[in-house]
Amino acid sequence: MTAPTGRPGPLRPGPRGLRRFAGPRLPRREVCELCGVVVAEEHHRHLVETERRALVCACVPCALLLDRPGAAVGGRFRAVPDRYLTDPDHRLDDGAWELLQIPVSVAFFFRNAALDRLVALYPSPAGATESELDPATWQTVLGASRLSALLEPDVEALLLRRSGGRTECHLVPIDICYELVGRMRLLWQGFDGGAEARAALDAFFAQVERRAKVPTGTGTPTAEAGRP
């Protein structure tokens, strides 16, 4: 995915795809970008439109068509998976975190397939803020995690949180990372985000931890159905 400048910047909302992340959750029906059918919140999936670097809405049947092996190869859209994995053995000390050049305690990383490189983003009052990584830093800091080998380009992210002297590492759908960005942008107050933003962050990661599975052997478990 490439931004208009050619740099691997953050995903952009599609015409309707991420409006629900920008404010309070209200009853809303979106439209599938593929077939045009109205999609209720409880039947809502997302696609990555690779050429425009945008997340767009999809109905479940259209998303399932693109979920099939090989269905999205060379295509315009890729379905965002619904799996949540975790690596409880992941270790990242303060020195390694400094290499990432992330000024806050939360960041997510996805592989840009078009440029074949990792992109690092973190929440801020202005939205998703980018911190570019060179391949050597990626390998040093995140390459040892078993989740990095499982990461699907463009549609999944490694979500990290530094807290209490340890770093949580999860593999998650890319759209929930932008949901987190939207929540933080809405709630952020003052220099450090404020109590309400911190409480929302704790609740968000609690949901991720409840859904995340530890990969075993060569297989990777599929997350439970539904959204967090």
Side-chain angles (χ1 to χ4, degrees):
M1 296 186 289
T2 55
T5 60
R7 298 174 64 248
L11 287 170
R12 300 190 305 271
R16 293 171 287 273
L18 292 186
R19 291 185 308 185
R20 65 195 186 108
F21 296 162
R25 291 290 184 93
L26 299 174
R28 178 189 300 282
R29 296 193 302 174
E30 307 285 1
V31 175
C32 175
E33 296 289 332
L34 296 185
C35 69
V37 68
V38 173
V39 184
E41 175 70 19
E42 61 270 21
H43 302 298
H44 196 106
R45 292 284 302 273
H46 283 116
L47 309 174
V48 172
E49 187 176 357
T50 56
E51 292 181 0
R52 295 195 304 123
R53 289 192 41 77
L55 277 169
V56 298
C57 299
C59 64
V60 171
C62 286
L64 290 176
L65 286 174
L66 291 174
D67 268 339
R68 296 181 302 174
V73 175
R76 176 183 172 190
F77 295 100
R78 293 196 63 193
V80 176
D82 199 26
R83 67 173 180 170
Y84 292 72
L85 304 177
T86 190
D87 184 2
D89 297 326
H90 181 75
R91 295 290 182 267
L92 195 67
D93 60 23
D94 289 335
W97 186 264
E98 289 298 323
L99 289 176
L100 296 177
Q101 302 178 35
I102 303 295
V104 295
S105 61
V106 176
F108 61 98
F109 308 81
F110 73 92
R111 181 164 292 282
N112 182 305
L115 299 181
D116 191 26
R117 64 167 296 162
L118 201 72
V119 180
L121 301 159
Y122 57 90
S124 77
T129 300
E130 181 181 348
S131 176
E132 292 188 22
L133 289 181
D134 60 76
T137 302
W138 149 250
Q139 187 61 38
T140 299
V141 178
L142 298 172
S145 170
R146 53 180 160 172
L147 299 184
S148 63
L150 303 174
L151 187 66
E152 289 289 332
D154 300 324
V155 293
E156 291 182 323
L158 293 182
L159 177 64
L160 274 65
R161 185 188 188 190
R162 184 77 174 154
S163 177
R166 62 181 294 268
T167 300
E168 306 170 45
C169 183
H170 308 286
L171 186 153
V172 299
I174 189 72
D175 55 356
I176 75 151
C177 296
Y178 285 96
E179 178 176 355
L180 175 62
V181 167
R183 290 184 190 180
M184 293 297 100
R185 184 175 184 180
L186 177 70
L187 299 174
W188 195 285
Q189 293 182 347
F191 178 76
D192 63 353
E196 190 174 4
R198 289 193 296 271
L201 189 66
D202 289 340
F204 179 89
F205 273 90
Q207 289 178 324
V208 170
E209 290 169 5
R210 283 195 295 269
R211 301 192 65 180
K213 310 297 183 184
V214 178
T216 58
T218 56
T220 55
T222 302
E224 304 159 3
R227 313 304 294 174

